[in-house]
Amino acid sequence: MEKYDVIFIAPPFHNGKETLWKQFDYFFPPYGLAHIAAYIRLFGFNSKIIDCLVDCPDINNFENYFYEQIFVKNITCKFFGITAVTPNIDHAITISEIIKKFYPESVIILGGPHATHEYREIINIKSIDIIVLGEGEITLKEIIEGQNLAQIKGIVFKNKKNLEIIKTAKRERIKDLDILPIPAYDLLKVEKYKAPKYSNNYIPSMSIVTSRGCNGNCTFCSKIFKHPYLMSAERVLYEIEFLYFKYGIKQIIFYDDNFTIDKNRVKKICESLINKKIKIKWTCFARVDTVNKEILSLMKKAGCEHIMYGVENFNKKVIELINKNIKTEDIFNAVSMTKEVGIKCRVSLMIGNPGESKKTIWENIKMINKLNPDYLQILIFHPLPGAPIYNYYKKNHLITAKSWEEYNFTKPIFLHETLSQKQIKKYYILMYLFFYLHPKFLIKQIINLFKKQERNNIIWGLKAFISFILKNFILIIKNK
């Protein structure tokens, strides 16, 4: 009979195939859960991770999966930890209800950004016993140690005697991330994870996070932490080496909000990769105002192949309204330098922002083609729980979404001041069409067809683009 102190579960996401990037076959691990599992292991607690993305991607099959893989095998466990973001919070709740069906005396602990921001609503769900606010390592350790819940900082729980809802004192953040052990990769099916096709998809690949928090103040962002704390360059390199030598990882996706926030740290990481001759490819996210030619050149030499810049919009008024705080010249300089050193560049835009109009949308279409990045990603603006702008939309009854499932960035879930929801969806598709069917992009792809490494990416990209366009046109026709 197997016994675990905690079984962690990462719920599946909804299909979301109407978004272009979901057409690319990729899987990222539940990195946060693996971190918590490794931390509690230091204190003698063992755990298991169920990542539904690879173990049970269809929520409709989860009850059978849980019954066969956990319950029938007489696995004993008191605590079940579930993580979730807004788009899959309903799946997290479904999973909690299934667990209670088979393990009625178990303690269900829910964490993640959505639960942290919407704890008042979530804690009233019958199958949820405890909510962890913010970071989970130390908090969960104290819960499974059996400490008095009222004395554990950073949680919301229901008093079993009178069902009173209690929120405890705020927990201080972990400032020194170097104290955290290497995530429990041994609890994950490492071979199952892979990067998107457009990033050359070196297999096996792994995504990691080397910082917590973001110093940006974008009004649409639902971040948990404001001030960023970073792992040291030495700690980052240690984890890369661990993955490289133990698991043969060939590609790393740095999933930090802004990997280049500290250029000196990036420089140390790159120089170490080069000096130690670690032949690994990697990608990252960055702000356009945190890179320069010197650091980009070093990143390229160290194996960086792809950078994603969150631009959101080119219109000055819109940029001010969403508090993005970047300049058009910074955007063009960053993309130009990135391409010049030989790193591929993906730019992300948002449509339906406050202050958006047909005029600003066409302005963005013109500017993105002038910018000419290697790839374009478009998201539809969403007022997410926890974002500074969320309460305004909620208070003024501007949110039209009927469930959290609709928060997938592929369709409007709010009432815009000048654009109808159908117009936003139409321009969402048109922006993609005007970029990916532009002569500049098509000529570049034709040239790349003669490069063996690029050929498969182009073929996959073409299939994904056609599928995306067809699905979205069908949705638009149905909604007429």
Side-chain angles (χ1 to χ4, degrees):
M1 179 186 293
E2 292 180 76
K3 181 179 179 180
Y4 296 100
D5 295 297
V6 189
I7 293 179
F8 295 106
I9 304 172
F13 283 86
H14 295 274
N15 194 323
K17 287 295 184 180
E18 64 271 22
T19 171
L20 177 58
W21 299 99
K22 284 295 183 182
Q23 304 294 328
F24 294 94
D25 187 25
Y26 63 93
F27 300 100
F28 292 150
Y31 191 77
L33 294 183
H35 249 305
I36 298 172
Y39 183 80
I40 64 172
R41 182 188 283 169
L42 295 176
F43 301 89
F45 299 111
N46 72 324
S47 62
K48 176 182 178 68
I49 296 177
I50 298 173
D51 180 7
C52 290
L53 197 63
V54 296
D55 295 321
C56 184
D58 187 344
I59 190 66
N60 296 314
N61 297 330
F62 184 81
E63 184 166 346
N64 286 335
Y65 170 86
F66 189 82
Y67 175 77
E68 294 173 357
Q69 300 299 321
I70 305 296
F71 187 71
V72 168
K73 294 181 179 180
N74 292 320
I75 292 175
T76 61
C77 184
K78 179 180 179 181
F79 297 100
F80 290 84
I82 309 172
T83 185
V85 291
T86 298
N88 70 348
I89 186 65
D90 55 338
H91 283 174
I93 293 166
T94 298
I95 287 171
S96 71
E97 292 168 344
I98 291 169
I99 294 171
K100 284 291 189 181
K101 178 179 178 179
F102 294 106
Y103 293 83
E105 300 303 316
S106 64
V107 176
I108 308 292
I109 305 165
L110 183 64
H114 187 91
T116 295
H117 294 306
E118 293 292 296
Y119 65 85
R120 293 178 184 87
E121 172 191 299
I122 303 298
I123 196 60
N124 282 302
I125 295 169
K126 187 177 179 181
S127 56
I128 304 298
D129 298 300
I130 303 172
I131 291 175
V132 171
L133 306 174
E135 292 169 309
E137 286 86 358
I138 299 173
T139 305
L140 191 72
K141 190 263 295 187
E142 293 179 358
I143 292 173
I144 59 181
E145 280 178 339
Q147 294 188 26
N148 184 341
L149 292 181
Q151 301 301 316
I152 297 175
K153 293 181 179 179
I155 65 171
V156 179
F157 68 97
K158 288 187 284 245
N159 187 315
K160 288 186 177 181
K161 293 181 180 179
N162 58 15
L163 297 182
E164 177 190 4
I165 294 172
I166 300 169
K167 182 185 179 187
T168 64
K170 185 177 180 180
R171 180 174 291 281
E172 291 185 5
R173 289 178 59 190
I174 300 172
K175 296 179 180 179
D176 182 9
L177 298 183
D178 284 8
I179 69 169
L180 299 176
I182 293 288
Y185 290 109
D186 58 300
L187 301 182
L188 301 172
K189 296 180 174 70
V190 174
E191 71 283 357
K192 296 285 187 179
Y193 300 103
K194 51 187 176 181
K197 296 286 184 183
Y198 62 81
S199 64
N200 291 326
N201 199 22
Y202 298 96
I203 297 174
S205 62
M206 182 59 62
S207 61
I208 67 174
V209 183
T210 69
S211 62
R212 292 179 179 178
C214 176
N215 60 351
N217 294 300
C218 305
T219 60
F220 57 84
C221 183
S222 62
K223 63 187 178 183
I224 298 178
F225 308 119
K226 292 184 178 180
H227 182 78
Y229 290 114
L230 285 65
M231 291 180 181
S232 67
E234 293 76 16
R235 170 61 177 78
V236 175
L237 188 71
Y238 176 63
E239 188 163 342
I240 293 173
E241 288 182 297
F242 177 82
L243 290 168
Y244 182 72
F245 290 110
K246 183 172 179 62
Y247 291 102
I249 296 297
K250 296 180 180 178
Q251 182 177 20
I252 295 286
I253 302 95
F254 289 105
Y255 229 72
D256 303 76
D257 291 316
N258 181 13
F259 184 70
T260 54
I261 189 171
D262 183 342
K263 294 186 187 68
N264 288 329
R265 187 183 80 131
V266 175
K267 183 179 179 182
K268 289 179 182 179
I269 293 170
C270 291
E271 288 176 342
S272 295
L273 289 172
I274 294 168
N275 294 335
K276 294 193 174 190
K277 297 181 180 179
I278 298 175
K279 305 295 182 181
I280 197 166
K281 303 299 181 182
W282 52 280
T283 69
C284 67
F285 300 134
R287 276 181 62 100
V288 294
D289 53 2
T290 61
V291 295
N292 57 35
K293 186 73 172 290
E294 179 187 0
I295 200 66
L296 287 168
S297 297
L298 189 60
M299 288 166 67
K300 173 62 179 178
K301 291 177 184 176
C304 181
E305 289 203 333
H306 190 109
I307 298 177
M308 198 281 275
Y309 294 112
V311 169
E312 321 314 348
N313 210 280
F314 289 96
N315 182 268
K316 185 178 179 182
K317 178 186 173 185
V318 174
I319 288 291
E320 289 175 354
L321 285 172
I322 62 175
N323 207 25
K324 183 67 182 181
N325 197 28
I326 57 173
K327 300 175 182 178
T328 301
E329 52 263 39
D330 291 333
I331 299 170
F332 277 84
N333 287 338
V335 171
S336 175
M337 290 186 295
T338 303
K339 293 171 70 177
E340 190 176 334
V341 302
I343 297 175
K344 287 189 176 181
C345 176
R346 173 163 57 111
V347 164
S348 179
L349 295 181
M350 279 200 312
I351 185 171
N353 298 285
E356 195 95 74
S357 65
K358 292 180 183 178
K359 182 180 177 181
T360 64
I361 291 172
W362 285 110
E363 177 187 332
N364 274 276
I365 290 173
K366 179 181 177 181
M367 293 295 280
I368 195 64
N369 282 309
K370 183 179 178 182
L371 184 66
N372 193 28
D374 294 291
Y375 304 104
L376 171 66
Q377 171 180 303
I378 304 170
L379 300 175
I380 293 177
F381 171 86
H382 275 29
L384 289 167
I389 207 165
Y390 175 71
N391 286 335
Y392 168 80
Y393 279 83
K394 185 177 181 180
K395 181 180 177 181
N396 290 282
H397 308 289
L398 297 173
I399 297 175
T400 60
K402 303 300 182 185
S403 70
W404 296 118
E405 174 187 346
E406 296 180 50
Y407 283 69
N408 60 13
F409 302 99
T410 64
K411 65 178 182 179
I413 56 149
F414 64 97
L415 298 177
H416 193 272
E417 63 264 33
T418 61
L419 299 167
S420 70
Q421 292 185 331
K422 287 182 181 179
Q423 286 176 322
I424 292 173
K425 186 67 177 183
K426 181 183 77 172
Y427 284 114
Y428 168 70
I429 298 170
L430 282 177
M431 288 182 78
Y432 270 127
L433 287 172
F434 274 92
F435 179 80
Y436 285 106
L437 296 181
H438 194 280
K440 280 184 183 178
F441 183 82
L442 293 175
I443 290 170
K444 185 164 53 178
Q445 302 314 303
I446 291 170
I447 293 171
N448 286 338
L449 276 172
F450 294 96
K451 301 176 183 178
K452 186 177 179 181
Q453 189 177 15
E454 298 284 352
R455 195 175 301 137
N456 288 337
N457 292 340
I458 293 171
I459 293 170
W460 270 98
L462 179 61
K463 289 179 180 177
F465 183 70
I466 292 172
S467 177
F468 163 77
I469 294 299
L470 288 175
K471 282 182 172 66
N472 278 281
F473 269 125
I474 290 170
L475 286 173
I476 287 178
I477 291 170
K478 285 182 177 179
N479 289 329
K480 279 188 176 180

